[in-house]
């Protein structure tokens, strides 16, 4: 049986600074369970609590020669545990924000793509409706909507009366409107 269990924390720290693995083991035995209980109560996750406590002891061993403790080791371990838990919670919050942002971004991309596809489908159906118009009516519609010409400019270009242009546009718009209403009813 080891005599290290009889040493004070201060004596164990002196030995730890001299890289004595038995001193480290004794500190580990004394405080592991206490830290684990506190961490698991605070985190409600025993696996994460174990990992955090393990990290604390690993850090102590790595920094054993440079560690400066003016108080008892118990206070140092309590403070280390507190900050590890705070950092863990902060990391979880950041991860959750990223997940939420990613989901929102993916949803926006999905709806954006969905809207684009619906628009393209509607545009295709509109083009099909336009091709079903009589030839003159189709020509007047395209000059008006695709080239942006006024009724007067269309009449001049086609050498027809403005009233005829107006009649063709009215006819085209009625057929397109009724065709689109039918298509929209199918969507909804």
């Amino acid at each position: 049986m080891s005599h290290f269990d009889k040493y004070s924390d201060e004596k164990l720290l002196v030995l730890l600074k001299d890289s004595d693995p038995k001193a480290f083991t004794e500190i580990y035995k004394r405080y592991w369970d206490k830290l684990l209980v506190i961490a698991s109560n605070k985190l409600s996750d025993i696996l994460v609590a174990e990992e955090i406590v393990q990290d604390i002891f690993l850090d102590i061993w790595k920094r054993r020669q440079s560690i400066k403790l003016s108080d008892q080791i118990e206070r140092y371990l309590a403070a280390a545990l507190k900050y590890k838990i705070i950092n863990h919670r902060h990391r979880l919050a950041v991860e959750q924000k990223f997940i939420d942002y990613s989901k929102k971004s993916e949803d926006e991309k999905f709806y954006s793509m969905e809207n684009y596809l619906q628009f393209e489908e509607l545009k295709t159906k509109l083009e099909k409706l336009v091709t079903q118009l009589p030839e003159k009516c189709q020509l007047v519609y395209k000059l008006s909507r695709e080239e942006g010409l006024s009724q007067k400019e269309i009449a001049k270009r086609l050498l027809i009366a403005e009233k005829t242009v107006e009649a063709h546009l009215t006819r085209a718009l009625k057929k397109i409107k009724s065709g689109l209403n039918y298509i929209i009813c199918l969507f909804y």
Side-chain angles (χ1 to χ4, degrees):
M1 186 163 187
S2 163
H3 58 282
F4 283 85
D5 59 343
K6 307 272 190 256
Y7 289 165
S8 68
D9 286 350
E10 291 77 21
K11 173 77 172 164
L12 290 172
L13 285 173
V14 169
L15 293 170
L16 177 66
K17 285 185 182 194
D18 290 334
S19 298
D20 188 327
K22 290 181 181 176
F24 175 77
T25 302
E26 182 58 34
I27 293 169
Y28 186 88
K29 283 184 201 174
R30 284 185 190 180
Y31 295 104
W32 170 266
D33 289 337
K34 291 177 185 178
L35 292 176
L36 183 61
V37 168
I38 294 168
S40 60
N41 284 337
K42 298 260 184 205
L43 297 169
S44 301
D45 186 336
I46 189 74
L47 295 176
V48 173
E50 284 178 349
E51 186 178 326
I52 285 175
V53 173
Q54 192 67 28
D55 285 348
I56 290 170
F57 282 104
L58 181 62
D59 186 50
I60 287 173
W61 181 253
K62 286 179 180 176
R63 295 181 33 221
R64 66 189 175 277
Q65 293 171 336
S66 63
I67 201 165
K68 293 189 185 345
L69 297 174
S70 56
D71 288 322
Q72 297 173 343
I73 192 165
E74 192 169 4
R75 286 187 187 172
Y76 173 82
L77 292 171
L81 181 62
K82 174 184 171 184
Y83 290 111
K84 288 273 187 186
I85 290 171
I86 289 170
N87 289 339
H88 174 74
R89 287 180 175 160
H90 176 71
R91 188 172 50 253
L92 286 179
V94 168
E95 287 172 3
Q96 189 59 49
K97 283 181 183 178
F98 178 75
I99 288 168
D100 292 345
Y101 173 78
S102 295
K103 283 181 183 176
K104 182 181 174 190
S105 180
E106 286 300 314
D107 288 347
E108 287 173 356
K109 286 178 188 173
F110 172 75
Y111 290 122
S112 176
M113 181 56 79
E114 186 178 7
N115 288 343
Y116 172 76
L117 292 173
Q118 285 178 348
F119 173 75
E120 286 299 315
E121 185 177 349
L122 197 56
K123 193 168 113 179
T124 301
K125 291 186 180 192
L126 176 63
E127 289 168 359
K128 186 176 179 185
L129 287 170
V130 170
T131 61
Q132 292 172 353
L133 294 171
E135 190 177 329
K136 272 278 199 208
C137 198
Q138 194 178 134
L139 182 60
V140 169
Y141 176 82
K142 285 182 178 181
L143 289 172
S144 171
R145 296 303 187 253
E146 293 176 13
E147 292 187 28
L149 299 178
S150 68
Q151 290 182 11
K152 188 175 191 173
E153 292 169 325
I154 295 170
K156 228 182 211 182
R157 186 181 281 187
L158 297 178
L159 303 172
I160 56 175
E162 273 186 64
K163 287 284 185 193
T164 308
V165 170
E166 186 178 331
H168 282 306
L169 272 178
T170 302
R171 183 176 179 194
L173 292 174
K174 275 186 183 178
K175 285 197 177 220
I176 290 170
K177 184 178 178 184
S178 68
L180 286 177
N181 281 338
Y182 175 74
I183 292 168
I184 290 171
C185 289
L186 292 177
F187 273 118
Y188 303 101

